[in-house]
Amino acid sequence: MEIKNENFKALIQSCKEGDYIGQGNPDSKILIIGKESSIDNETQKQLEIGNNWKQWQNDELENGYHPRYCYKHITTRFGEGQRFLIAPKNGGTSATCYVYQKLINAIYPDVAVKKNEVLNFFDHCFITELSAVSRSNNNKLEDDDIKATAKSIKERTSLLSSAFYRSFPVVILFCGHYPKQYDINIEEMFDVKWESPTKDFELANKKGWYNIHYSEDKQRIVIHTWQASAFVKNKEEHVQDFFNKII
């Protein structure tokens, strides 16, 4: 697999086994950052997170999986307002991936995925997480979870501040109040400045919010908003309108 992004190649060389770098297309123009993965199965956690660096380094499939084509075989029953489980249980996808696909459909309508087609968002963005500690969707954040998440975020700050992650023209932080909760300085991490004030928008009949940050030359934008699953009930055209306003 040929990757052109020299910053990504340098990052791979500077990382080590166990480091979580991300999934998707390193040569794309959009970086998506979530809070953390939500994976219950320990084997799957190791496959997608624990072995991530090794898979990029060796550029080999592991049990049919590669982070460049992370969800290539998931068929999506793409429908308004539905929340799906990760395949293969019912052939659908998670709420988060469902929203990522909505986002890519909005930005790149020529490659938009229709109902019952396979996901393709990983071809048009790169995805990573603030924390490499995965947790269950149903798991409330107990003290131990909070400590583990805080430790992981602190350890990953220098990695996420590297030239590769700063090279994307568009960065979307779907992480809600994590920056405040875990003392994450977005401006320092991405070398950008916040454009005051915080903006509001309608989100499934509720008030949503987002913050915009720009690089000094205005060539890069960092958008900080709710976690992705909060967008799942919005109609696709509403998601498209939202992102058309800010990208």
Side-chain angles (χ1 to χ4, degrees):
M1 174 183 53
E2 182 182 359
I3 295 174
K4 299 177 181 178
N5 193 311
E6 294 298 328
N7 290 320
F8 183 75
K9 295 177 183 178
L11 180 65
I12 295 297
Q13 295 306 312
S14 68
C15 288
K16 62 185 184 303
E17 187 166 356
D19 285 342
Y20 176 68
I21 295 168
Q23 303 161 301
N25 184 359
D27 292 322
S28 63
K29 296 181 179 180
I30 300 169
L31 171 64
I32 294 175
I33 303 179
K35 292 179 173 181
E36 68 270 297
S37 298
S38 296
I39 305 172
D40 292 316
N41 184 280
E42 293 299 324
T43 300
Q44 194 71 15
K45 285 182 186 180
Q46 186 63 31
L47 179 66
E48 293 196 27
I49 299 174
N51 297 347
N52 184 254
W53 174 84
K54 184 171 64 175
Q55 293 158 355
W56 284 115
Q57 173 75 2
N58 297 338
D59 192 20
E60 295 177 351
L61 288 173
E62 181 181 1
N63 296 327
Y65 175 87
H66 191 286
R68 170 60 186 88
Y69 303 102
C70 45
Y71 303 113
K72 186 175 181 179
H73 303 297
I74 294 181
T75 301
T76 306
R77 291 202 293 271
F78 210 76
E80 167 56 26
Q82 299 181 46
R83 301 176 72 100
F84 297 121
L85 299 172
I86 294 178
K89 186 173 182 179
N90 70 346
T93 188
S94 68
T96 297
C97 291
Y98 178 75
V99 172
Y100 289 171
Q101 187 64 60
K102 278 187 176 185
L103 170 63
I104 294 305
N105 283 4
I107 297 173
Y108 300 116
D110 290 346
V111 297
V113 166
K114 299 180 177 64
K115 187 176 181 179
N116 296 324
E117 294 181 347
V118 297
L119 299 168
N120 72 357
F121 66 86
F122 51 80
D123 283 329
H124 307 286
C125 64
F126 193 80
I127 306 142
T128 192
E129 311 289 340
L130 289 174
S131 169
V133 177
S134 180
R135 65 185 182 90
S136 166
N137 277 315
N138 299 319
N139 180 25
K140 293 182 179 179
L141 277 176
E142 305 292 346
D143 286 345
D144 287 346
D145 299 314
I146 293 172
K147 289 177 182 177
T149 298
K151 182 175 183 292
S152 179
I153 290 174
K154 184 176 181 180
E155 291 173 347
R156 287 172 57 75
T157 296
S158 60
L159 183 147
L160 293 173
S161 301
S162 67
F164 169 64
Y165 297 104
R166 288 184 176 186
S167 69
F168 288 86
V170 178
V171 178
I172 305 174
L173 286 159
F174 283 116
C175 61
H177 295 295
Y178 264 33
K180 182 178 180 180
Q181 184 176 355
Y182 293 104
D183 193 26
I184 303 167
N185 190 319
I186 296 172
E187 291 183 320
E188 289 185 0
M189 182 176 287
F190 292 102
D191 190 23
V192 291
K193 293 294 183 183
W194 174 47
E195 185 181 81
S196 179
T198 295
K199 282 89 174 162
D200 294 325
F201 68 96
E202 292 295 329
L203 180 64
N205 300 319
K206 296 185 293 186
K207 282 289 184 182
W209 57 265
Y210 64 97
N211 290 303
I212 289 183
H213 309 73
Y214 288 107
S215 59
E216 187 175 357
D217 60 7
K218 299 288 187 179
Q219 296 302 302
R220 293 184 294 119
I221 182 174
V222 177
I223 303 154
H224 167 215
T225 188
W226 287 17
Q227 65 188 63
S229 57
F231 289 81
V232 76
K233 293 183 179 180
N234 276 42
K235 292 182 179 180
E236 190 161 332
E237 57 267 28
H238 294 166
V239 176
Q240 183 171 356
D241 287 344
F242 170 64
F243 286 106
N244 282 345
K245 290 177 183 177
I246 57 179
I247 294 179

